[in-house]
Amino acid sequence: MNNTLELLLNHTSIRSFTNQPLTEGQRDEIFKVANQTSSFSLLQAVSIIRITDKELRKKIMQLSANQPYIEDAAEFWIFCADFNRNHQIAPKIDLEYIEYLLIGSFDAGIMAQNALTAAESMGLGGVYIGGIRLNITELTEILNLPKHVVPLVGLCIGHPAGEKPELKPRLPQSMVMFDNQYQPLDEEKLRTYDEQMREYYRNRPSNAPFTVKKVNGWTDHIEDHLERSRLPFMLEYLNKQGFAQK
Ligand SMILES: Cc1cc2nc3c(=O)[nH]c(=O)nc-3n(C[C@H](O)[C@H](O)[C@H](O)COP(=O)(O)O)c2cc1C
């Protein structure tokens, strides 16, 4: 197996960091890799806000369900879909179509993943923070984000502290990848996966995502996760930022 495959197959989120900072060289390399990511029609509709101010970091942690690693990580970067740049270049284009938000969200996601992979390749670790969207209006204000910019996900990066967490099992290939046509849910395979996850969380409760309150299987908390992820204010917020009107 080559080094890239080995790295990717050994991914686990890291939520515990030493206080060692990244070198400027490490930071620059992670940024360069992120910035070289594919971009829809080369629109380059992503900006990263790097949070270096301690007080601001604390405030963002509080707005993001008090996840402590936001403060502990050496680096905390917020990936934003950003059409403000494009809008200034082409002010006549109507950006209210939801497709623009899809474009920016996808570009931000793959850029963040390349940043995380680059960090992991240097022996660093990290975790995404979708929790930054829990109080997105306030976050938008404190980051001074203009219209046509939406913060989508945070990324903690740092030197891992303690043991590397065990790999978190994923759904089997036959439930995720289909030949030619979509396939119905296979209940039996789901039960097998569920048991695998129950076993995993039984041994490693600290690896549960921050929304998982009980150590249980996968299907047990899907409903809970979906419920918590709803964010009913989101459409109004996106409209205010100039997106998703049509
Ligand atoms: C978009 C996105 C947002 C996430 N947000 C959070 C978060 O706010 N807090 C957290 O602890 N983990 C967060 N995670 C990490 C996931 O919980 C984690 O990737 C998942 O449980 C699988 O674990 P693994 O990455 O260790 O394999 C997020 C992951 C993604 C892709």
Side-chain angles (χ1 to χ4, degrees):
M1 190 184 300
N2 70 43
N3 293 344
T4 307
L5 296 180
E6 200 168 332
L7 178 80
L8 292 168
L9 284 171
N10 275 297
H11 158 78
T12 56
S13 294
I14 298 294
R15 297 182 175 83
S16 176
F17 301 100
T18 70
N19 54 16
Q20 189 183 344
L22 268 60
T23 64
E24 208 181 316
Q26 286 175 317
R27 227 174 40 224
D28 283 354
E29 261 176 345
I30 295 170
F31 172 76
K32 270 190 211 145
V33 167
N35 206 28
Q36 198 60 38
T37 303
S38 296
S39 165
F40 184 96
S41 289
L42 200 59
L43 292 177
Q44 303 189 74
V46 184
S47 287
I48 302 169
I49 315 281
R50 177 177 172 236
I51 310 299
T52 57
D53 182 280
K54 277 197 166 48
E55 281 307 305
L56 186 57
R57 189 87 81 91
K58 186 176 185 163
K59 181 74 188 155
I60 294 170
M61 181 203 67
Q62 289 163 345
L63 292 175
S64 312
N66 286 305
Q67 301 183 68
Y69 24 94
I70 297 176
E71 260 196 304
D72 300 343
E75 295 286 323
F76 186 61
W77 296 5
I78 297 180
F79 290 79
C80 306
D82 178 4
F83 278 88
N84 181 47
R85 253 190 317 262
N86 287 337
H87 181 63
Q88 288 173 72
I89 297 163
K92 278 190 238 140
I93 304 297
D94 178 3
L95 292 173
E96 288 183 342
Y97 290 94
I98 198 164
E99 176 63 7
Y100 293 109
L101 185 64
L102 296 180
I103 290 168
S105 304
F106 195 86
D107 274 18
I110 60 176
M111 191 193 250
Q113 179 57 40
N114 271 359
L116 179 57
T117 302
E120 288 176 348
S121 78
M122 298 171 186
L124 302 166
V127 65
Y128 290 110
I129 305 292
I132 61 157
R133 297 198 301 268
L134 291 171
N135 288 288
I136 198 163
T137 301
E138 203 170 343
L139 182 68
T140 299
E141 276 166 25
I142 61 176
L143 297 180
N144 199 24
L145 301 179
K147 203 173 164 187
H148 300 125
V149 182
V150 169
L152 292 171
V153 73
L155 179 61
C156 300
I157 306 172
H159 291 268
E163 271 178 48
K164 183 174 160 47
E166 221 178 285
L167 286 192
K168 207 177 270 186
R170 296 299 203 262
L171 289 166
Q173 180 172 336
S174 58
M175 287 182 72
V176 178
M177 193 167 106
F178 311 124
D179 286 349
N180 303 314
Q181 283 187 324
Y182 195 83
Q183 296 300 317
L185 181 67
D186 185 325
E187 298 282 348
E188 206 179 312
K189 283 180 182 145
L190 182 62
R191 271 195 298 278
T192 306
Y193 178 65
D194 215 24
E195 184 44 48
Q196 225 184 327
M197 283 309 290
R198 210 168 285 127
E199 187 62 25
Y200 174 86
Y201 282 136
R202 213 175 281 137
N203 298 330
R204 292 268 176 177
S206 61
N207 288 345
F210 79 110
T211 48
V212 177
K213 295 292 175 225
K214 324 171 271 206
V215 176
N216 238 324
W218 191 64
T219 53
D220 296 319
H221 69 241
I222 285 296
E223 199 173 315
D224 185 43
H225 269 245
L226 291 177
E227 180 83 39
R228 285 160 191 273
S229 304
R230 194 183 287 143
L231 305 187
F233 49 82
M234 193 53 82
L235 184 60
E236 198 183 329
Y237 164 81
L238 291 172
N239 289 169
K240 207 168 134 251
Q241 287 306 99
F243 287 117
Q245 291 277 5
K246 44 196 166 188

